[in-house]
Amino acid sequence: IPPLLERVNLLLTDENVAESLLGELDFHWGYLAIWLEGDAEAALKRLQSARNRLPETHRELIAETEFDLALARQMIGDGASTIEYLEKRIQTTLPPDFMMLTRWVGAQVFIYLMSGDLKCALPAAQRLGSFGKEGGNVHLLAWAEYLQALALYQSNRLDEALQGFLFSAEKRDICHRKAAVDALAGLVLTYHAMQRTDDAVDTLKLFMKFARGTADPENVAVAESCRARLALMLGDLKS
């Protein structure tokens, strides 16, 4: 990444670079700051600049920028006001612009979960799922089911959580890879909490195979962590 960022710096100082390209570069800078470095303040600065520079024709990039902006604001302590801002945008978006709506509602779900507000996270995730159903978007449905299951699991509503994790796990080749990995981990832990040990062990085998098949060391690490956690809960200290 460092050599690439040095080239980006050179582009940012070139007066001939189009404003829209500068906006794209600002978005990528902000994305790296929030997701790789956890630096919300730096991300906020870059993402705000991106939002100001990106033309309305860049709808997908604007939608992603809005999502990351909301998370950055929550990380610096502005979660409540950000939820209000997102809701206003949602209510005033007519006719439905599903690309923007899904990012705004998705950001609400993430903020509620990051804040530990499970009561509000669940209906927000259900709302996200309604957009997936209306638009026939299975990828979005898998995301929404996973997020609902996460809130339900943490609320100890295990039977309901199980259904959401099952849906996302079954759609693991369609769902966002990180969400699929977490859904499989959630499924293992839910089965264990329901005292369905055989199902937990079988799902863990599926999880390990899937994680290794992604060829991503981070996914394998999550699967290994889940395996260690299940072994501890089962009293298998040797493993």
Side-chain angles (χ1 to χ4, degrees):
I1 292 176
L4 176 61
L5 295 184
E6 290 178 9
R7 292 173 62 190
V8 169
N9 269 328
L10 292 175
L11 280 173
L12 289 173
T13 58
D14 187 342
E15 295 180 357
N16 296 319
V17 174
E19 193 73 2
S20 62
L21 179 56
L22 293 176
E24 291 185 42
L25 293 173
D26 274 330
F27 165 75
H28 291 298
W29 269 105
Y31 181 92
L32 291 171
I34 195 171
W35 291 108
L36 295 186
E37 300 173 357
D39 189 341
E41 291 186 358
L44 192 61
K45 181 179 179 181
R46 289 290 187 178
L47 293 168
Q48 285 174 331
S49 177
R51 187 65 185 88
N52 293 333
R53 283 172 157 165
L54 289 170
E56 290 303 311
T57 52
H58 288 42
R59 298 299 292 162
E60 185 171 355
L61 200 55
I62 288 174
E64 296 299 331
T65 300
E66 288 277 357
F67 180 85
D68 287 345
L69 261 175
L71 299 192
R73 288 170 179 150
Q74 191 275 343
M75 290 169 66
I76 64 170
D78 292 338
S81 61
T82 302
I83 287 290
E84 292 180 5
Y85 162 80
L86 292 169
E87 188 60 34
K88 287 179 181 178
R89 299 305 301 267
I90 293 165
Q91 294 297 332
T92 56
T93 302
L94 295 173
D97 179 345
F98 286 107
M99 185 177 292
M100 295 304 301
L101 286 172
T102 55
R103 300 319 192 277
W104 285 326
V105 176
Q108 284 185 324
V109 181
F110 270 65
I111 289 173
Y112 285 133
L113 288 172
M114 290 163 68
S115 303
D117 189 345
L118 303 180
K119 183 178 179 181
C120 290
L122 183 57
Q126 291 169 339
R127 188 184 197 182
L128 185 65
S130 69
F131 290 130
K133 291 177 182 177
E134 188 172 348
N137 189 327
V138 179
H139 175 266
L140 182 59
L141 273 173
W143 254 119
E145 289 290 338
Y146 157 67
L147 292 169
Q148 289 177 61
L150 185 57
L152 289 164
Y153 173 77
Q154 294 184 9
S155 301
N156 202 37
R157 295 165 60 178
L158 300 178
D159 288 332
E160 296 168 270
L162 179 65
Q163 299 309 310
F165 284 137
L166 276 171
F167 183 92
S168 295
E170 289 170 357
K171 298 291 187 289
R172 57 188 176 276
D173 293 320
I174 299 174
C175 188
H176 186 281
R177 189 61 53 79
K178 295 295 185 182
V181 165
D182 281 356
L184 283 163
L187 189 56
V188 172
L189 299 179
T190 301
Y191 275 136
H192 174 266
M194 298 174 74
Q195 299 183 342
R196 294 174 58 173
T197 302
D198 290 344
D199 288 326
V201 172
D202 289 343
T203 302
L204 179 61
K205 293 177 182 177
L206 173 66
F207 185 13
M208 294 300 304
K209 181 179 179 181
F210 176 75
R212 288 167 179 159
T214 67
D216 185 335
E218 289 188 12
N219 294 335
V220 176
V222 173
E224 292 285 4
S225 175
C226 184
R227 181 165 67 172
R229 183 171 176 178
L230 180 62
L232 284 170
M233 292 189 295
L234 294 176
D236 183 0
L237 303 184
K238 183 178 180 180
S239 294

